[in-house]
Amino acid sequence: MTALMKLKPYASLIGIAVFAVLLLAVAPSLLSMHWINNLGKYCAWAIVAVGIGLAWGRGGMLVMGQGVFFGLGAYAMAMHMTLENAGPDAIPSFMILYDPLAPLPAFWEPFRSELFTLAAIILLPVIVAGILGYALFKRRVKGAYFAILTQALAVATAVLVSSTIRETGGDTGLSGFRTFFGFLLSDDANKVMIYLITAGLLIACMLLVWQLHRSRFGELLLATRDAEERVRFLGYDPANIKLTAFVIAAVMASIGGAMFVPIVGIITPAEIGASASILMIAGVALGGRASLFGPVLGAMAIGWGQSSLASSWPEGWIYILGLLFVVVTLFLPNGLASLYTRAKGLIAGRRDNGAAPPEPPAPTGAAATAEKAEVSA
C-alpha cells in the first residue's frame, strides 16, 4: 500500500508510458495499414486536443479557432510537399492551369527548403497567436467574447483560402503528394514511419503538458482561470500567463496539421474552418478538458466516429454526435474522464460508511508535552 501511495504522483507519467507502448509498439505490429493510417490521423487530431486541454481545461480559454493554427501547419507542409513533387524551379501544376505564364508566388518560394518548412510550422503559429493573444488578453477579452473572436478568425481564414484559388488551390485544396521529405508515400514502410513520428509527437506533447501541470506555471494558469483578479493582486500579469498557454496550444495545433497532410494526402479549407474547429473542441469536451488523457481519447473517439460512422451513415452521424454531447453536458459536464473520479469517490464513500469511526490523532508537539506532564503529576 505504501508503494502505491509513493507512485500516485507519477500515475499520469506511468499512463503516458503505457500509452506510448500501445501506440509505438503494439499498434504497428497488430493493425493493418488501413488502420495504421486512420490511427495516425487520430493522433494528429489528438495533438491539437492536448493543446486545447491546456488552454481551455487548465486556463479557461475556450479556443474555438484552432483550425487557423491547424491550417498554418498543414498548408506549410502541403506547400513544401507540392513543390517537392513539382521538382526544382518548377511551378505546381494547379497554378499552371489557372495562369500558365504567371510566376510562382513569392511566399511559396522559401517552402522549397525543408528547414524553412519545419521552422515555419513552429514559428508561424507563435507569431500569429502571439499577436492575436496579446491584443485580446491585454484588453482583458475573455469568456464568450474570446470564443466568438477566435471562431470568427477561423471563418475568415477559411474564406480567404477558398478565394485564393491560384495561390492555395481554393476549395479543392492541395493534394496529389507523392513524397514526404524525399520518402515515397506509396511505400508502406514510409507510411508506418510517418505514423510513428506522429504518435511520438503526441507522446512528447503529453509529456510537456504533464510537466506544465506540475510546474509553477501550471499552478499560475489554474489560479488565473479560477481567480484572475487575485493573481493580478499578487503581482503577476494574467495576460502573459494566458498568452503563453495560448501560444503553446497554437504550436501543437500547427504540428498536428503538419502531420495530418502526409497521412491523409489532402488539405482543404473545410479542414480549417469553423466546423472543423468546433469538432476539435467537441472531442476535448467529450473526453474531459481538465484531464490529461481526456482530450486525447475524446479526439480519437470523435475521429473514429467521423471516419467510420460518417462514411456509412452520413445523414445520421451528426445527430449521433449531437445526442452524445447533450448527454455528456447534462450528466458529465467534465467529460468521460470524470467517470473515474466519480467511481473512485463512490467506492471510497461506501468504505467509509461500513468502517468504524476513525480514532482521534495522537497529540503532537506542545499538546503531547502537556499530556506527558499531566501523566507524570
Side-chain angles (χ1 to χ4, degrees):
M1 191 66 178
T2 305
L4 291 177
M5 292 299 292
K6 290 181 179 180
L7 291 175
K8 188 175 180 180
Y10 300 97
S12 295
L13 187 60
I14 296 172
I16 294 175
V18 173
F19 195 57
V21 171
L22 292 175
L23 286 180
L24 300 175
V26 177
S29 60
L30 296 180
L31 299 180
S32 64
M33 189 54 59
H34 169 74
W35 283 107
I36 286 291
N37 286 335
N38 279 346
L39 187 57
K41 180 171 62 173
Y42 306 156
C43 287
W45 281 330
I47 293 173
V48 184
V50 172
I52 294 175
L54 176 67
W56 184 27
R58 195 77 175 183
M61 295 170 282
L62 183 53
V63 284
M64 299 189 69
Q66 292 304 91
V68 174
F69 308 111
F70 185 88
L72 288 175
Y75 271 92
M77 180 64 75
M79 289 163 65
H80 171 74
M81 294 173 68
T82 301
L83 291 173
E84 191 176 43
N85 291 347
D89 302 325
I91 298 177
S93 57
F94 79 90
M95 293 185 182
I96 298 175
L97 291 175
Y98 291 108
D99 191 351
L101 301 179
L104 184 72
F107 70 92
W108 271 72
E109 193 63 43
F111 286 95
R112 294 188 187 274
S113 168
E114 296 177 355
L115 291 178
F116 181 88
T117 301
L118 294 176
I121 291 170
I122 302 298
L123 296 180
L124 281 177
V126 170
I127 295 171
V128 175
I131 295 174
L132 177 65
Y134 185 86
L136 295 179
F137 297 136
K138 287 297 182 179
R139 289 169 174 77
R140 303 186 185 182
V141 177
K142 54 185 178 180
Y145 299 102
F146 176 81
I148 292 171
L149 285 172
T150 54
Q151 189 176 36
L153 181 64
V155 174
T157 303
V159 171
L160 176 64
V161 173
S162 297
S163 62
T164 52
I165 299 176
R166 186 185 182 276
E167 289 78 12
T168 63
D171 290 331
T172 58
L174 300 176
S175 60
F177 312 117
R178 296 191 300 272
T179 58
F180 172 75
F181 291 93
F183 294 93
L184 289 174
L185 293 176
S186 57
D187 190 342
D188 287 348
N190 293 335
K191 292 180 181 179
V192 174
M193 176 195 68
I194 295 171
Y195 160 76
L196 291 175
I197 293 173
T198 308
L201 288 170
L202 172 59
I203 299 300
C205 290
M206 293 178 69
L207 286 171
L208 175 61
V209 171
W210 174 77
Q211 182 59 40
L212 289 175
H213 282 186
R214 292 161 48 89
S215 67
R216 187 172 184 81
F217 169 77
E219 295 176 355
L220 286 172
L221 185 61
L222 188 62
T224 301
R225 182 195 71 183
D226 297 336
E228 183 173 329
E229 293 303 323
R230 291 187 180 183
V231 172
R232 185 176 287 106
F233 177 76
L234 292 173
Y236 297 97
D237 188 353
N240 293 336
I241 298 169
K242 292 194 288 187
L243 178 61
T244 302
F246 184 58
V247 169
I248 293 173
V251 172
M252 289 184 181
S254 179
I255 293 172
M259 298 311 301
F260 177 86
V261 171
I263 293 173
V264 178
I266 187 173
I267 182 66
T268 67
E271 303 291 345
I272 67 175
S275 58
S277 299
I278 292 174
L279 202 62
M280 296 173 189
I281 285 286
V284 177
L286 174 65
R289 64 182 185 272
S291 65
L292 179 61
F293 288 94
V296 174
L297 298 178
M300 288 186 167
I302 293 296
W304 173 82
Q306 187 183 33
S307 300
S308 302
L309 298 180
S311 59
S312 59
W313 193 22
E315 298 85 2
W317 153 244
I318 192 66
Y319 295 106
I320 294 175
L321 181 62
L323 177 62
L324 181 63
F325 284 105
V326 169
V327 172
V328 170
T329 303
L330 290 177
F331 301 102
L332 292 171
N334 292 323
L336 297 178
S338 62
L339 285 175
Y340 171 76
T341 306
R342 289 192 177 189
K344 186 178 178 181
L346 183 61
I347 294 173
R350 288 180 178 177
R351 288 177 179 175
D352 292 341
N353 291 335
E359 297 181 359
T364 58
T369 305
E371 184 175 315
K372 289 180 181 179
E374 185 178 347
V375 171
S376 300

